[in-house]
Amino acid sequence: MTPVASTIAIPAMLDPHVHLRGLEWAHKGTFASETAAALAGGYWAVLDMPNTPPSTVDLPALEAKLAAIGREAVCDWGIYFGASQADNTAAYPAAADRVCGLKIYNNATTGDLLIEDQARRAAHYGAWPRRRIVAVHAEGRTVADILALVRATGQRTHFCHISTAEEIALLRAAKAEGLPVTVGVTPHHLFLTEDDVAALGALGRMKPELKTRADQAALWDAIGNGVVDVVESDHAPHTLAEKAADPAPSGVPGLETTLPLLLTAAREGRLSLARVVELVAERPRAIFGLAAPPDTVTVVDPDASTVIERGSLHTLCGWSPFEGMRVWGKVREVRIRGRVVFDGKRVLAAPGSGQNLFPGGAA
Ligand code: DOR
Ligand code: ZN
C-alpha cells in the first residue's frame, strides 16, 4: 500500500515581533526580502518593530516607513510606534490608529530607544491610547517594574521574548492576579541555551541573551501550562560581516525556522499540534484583534524533513543560528485571500501586494 501524503493546514499565521530592517538598514534586510522570508516561513503577516533607523518615533518617520513597507511587502503587515527617550507622547493620538501598538525598550538592545527611568516609562504608559496594546522589552526585575505600570493603568501589555524562570514566575503571578498581560517567547530561547554560545560565537548573540538549561525548561513548562501566549521569532537580521566585528551586533533571523522547529518539537511529543497552531496563529491574532482573512492558510507537510542550511533561506542576511539542525515540517504552500503567494520554493506575490492590517480609522 502506498502511504497517503497528508498535510496540515494552519490558518493565517502571524509573527507579532520582527525587525524587517529596510530604510537606513536595507543592507541587513529589505521589506521585500524579509517579508519574502516570512512567506517562506509560512506566515500570513508580521508586525515590525520601531528600532531600525530612522526610529519610528515621530510622524515623519512613521510616514516614511509606511510608504516603504507598503511599496515592498509581499505578506500582510503592521508596524509599531516607538517610545523615545525624548518625550514623543504628543504624536501618540495621531500615530495610534495607524500602528499595531507602542513598543517600549526598558533594557539595552539594538537601536537608541532605551528608557530606564521609571517616571519616563510611566509618562509613556499614561499617554498611549488604551485602545492599542503596549509591547515591552523587559528583562529580569524590569518585568516587575512594568507590571507596576500595568497595575496602575490597566493598559494591555505584551511582554516580548521572555527568557528566564524568574520572569515566567512574575508573569504567571501577574496573570493569576488578573492583569491584562500576554507573554511571548522566542525559538532561540526554546531551542538554544548558553551552552551553544561557544560554538555559535556572534551568531548566538542576541538580546535577551541565551540562558541556562533551567531557564529553557521553565519556558517549556510555561508553554505547557498556558503562561506563554505566543512564539515570536524576534527576526533581527545582521550581515555576516557585521557579526564578524567586535563587538558584534545583537540579533538573529528566525522567520524561516520557527515553524519547522515547533513542528519538530510536536513530532517529538513536547507539545501538541493544536498548541503550535495556538502559539503561531490563533493567540497572536487574538492579541492584536485580527481576524483570519478568508482562504488564508499555510499548508505544511509534517513528514518532510530538511536540514537548515544557508543556501535555502530567503532572508537577505543569509545565515541562521540553527544551521545544521534537522527539522520536520516543510511549508508546501501559503495562500492569502485565495492567492498562492508561496509555492514551497518560490515567492509568487508581487511587491506591495501585502496589506496594511492597521490602515487607520477606528480601531
Ligand atoms: O537581539 C536583538 N536584536 N534584540 C532586540 O531586542 C533588537 C534586535 C535588533 O533589532 O537587532
Ligand atoms: Zn525584537
Side-chain angles (χ1 to χ4, degrees):
M1 208 167 79
T2 28
V4 179
S6 66
T7 55
I8 306 166
I10 306 176
M13 284 173 55
L14 170 67
D15 189 335
H17 187 153
V18 300
H19 304 259
L20 299 177
R21 313 305 194 194
L23 304 169
E24 292 172 26
W25 278 359
H27 66 287
K28 297 176 194 271
T30 67
F31 294 120
S33 66
E34 304 315 289
T35 55
L39 291 181
Y43 288 96
W44 151 60
V46 292
L47 304 180
D48 187 49
M49 288 294 172
N51 64 325
T52 288
S55 299
T56 319
V57 294
D58 54 39
L59 296 176
L62 176 66
E63 294 296 346
K65 189 184 233 185
L66 288 170
I69 189 171
R71 271 194 306 272
E72 294 184 37
V74 291
C75 69
D76 287 2
W77 53 274
I79 69 176
Y80 290 85
F81 206 61
S84 78
Q85 292 167 345
D87 181 3
N88 66 335
T89 55
Y92 286 1
D97 284 333
R98 311 185 64 195
V99 299
C100 63
L102 177 74
K103 178 71 181 285
I104 309 181
Y105 287 90
N106 301 283
N107 299 102
T109 189
T110 310
D112 58 3
L113 298 181
L114 174 63
I115 300 177
E116 285 184 298
D117 180 70
Q118 183 74 355
R120 277 178 190 246
R121 292 170 182 160
H124 288 289
Y125 255 82
W128 185 247
R130 293 284 169 272
R131 63 183 180 277
R132 286 279 195 256
I133 202 166
V134 170
V136 291
H137 181 137
E139 300 186 42
R141 294 304 300 172
T142 306
V143 168
D145 295 338
I146 301 305
L147 286 172
L149 299 175
V150 178
R151 200 173 284 117
T153 61
Q155 170 66 57
R156 281 194 307 131
T157 300
H158 177 69
F159 285 77
C160 301
H161 47 46
I162 286 305
S163 64
T164 70
E166 179 198 20
E167 294 159 8
I168 288 288
L170 287 166
L171 289 160
R172 185 185 182 132
K175 285 190 165 190
E177 187 186 333
L179 294 181
V181 297
T182 52
V183 175
V185 297
T186 73
H188 39 275
H189 295 113
L190 288 172
F191 293 94
L192 300 171
T193 68
E194 60 185 13
D195 299 344
D196 295 300
V197 176
L200 284 170
L203 303 191
R205 175 195 276 257
M206 75 293 289
K207 297 286 188 193
E209 291 165 12
L210 294 175
K211 297 294 178 352
T212 66
R213 280 166 185 266
D215 288 317
Q216 185 186 47
L219 301 187
W220 280 102
D221 283 349
I223 282 199
N225 64 27
V227 170
V228 169
D229 293 278
V230 311
V231 173
E232 52 194 28
S233 72
D234 199 4
H235 180 83
H238 297 282
T239 67
L240 282 168
E242 289 166 334
K243 280 292 200 181
D246 188 17
S250 296
V252 296
L255 274 167
E256 293 168 86
T257 43
T258 300
L259 181 62
L261 285 166
L262 287 173
L263 292 172
T264 303
R267 190 180 183 91
E268 291 165 354
R270 304 181 75 184
L271 76 174
S272 69
L273 215 45
R275 187 76 176 115
V276 173
V277 174
E278 276 176 20
L279 292 165
V280 298
E282 293 169 358
R283 288 295 292 145
R285 273 191 267 114
I287 290 167
F288 287 88
L290 296 166
D295 197 7
T296 296
V297 79
T298 300
V299 180
V300 174
D301 179 352
D303 298 318
S305 91
T306 46
V307 174
I308 295 171
E309 286 169 342
R310 284 182 187 187
S312 48
L313 297 171
H314 291 70
T315 176
L316 190 64
C317 75
W319 59 273
S320 163
F322 304 108
E323 276 167 48
M325 285 177 65
R326 176 166 290 281
V327 286
W328 292 84
K330 212 169 156 29
V331 177
R332 295 290 189 210
E333 183 173 288
V334 180
R335 293 198 300 276
I336 299 181
R337 291 174 287 274
R339 298 188 61 169
V340 178
V341 287
F342 179 68
D343 69 1
K345 289 196 181 67
R346 286 164 308 139
V347 169
L348 305 173
S353 60
Q355 288 191 7
N356 181 0
L357 300 172
F358 300 87

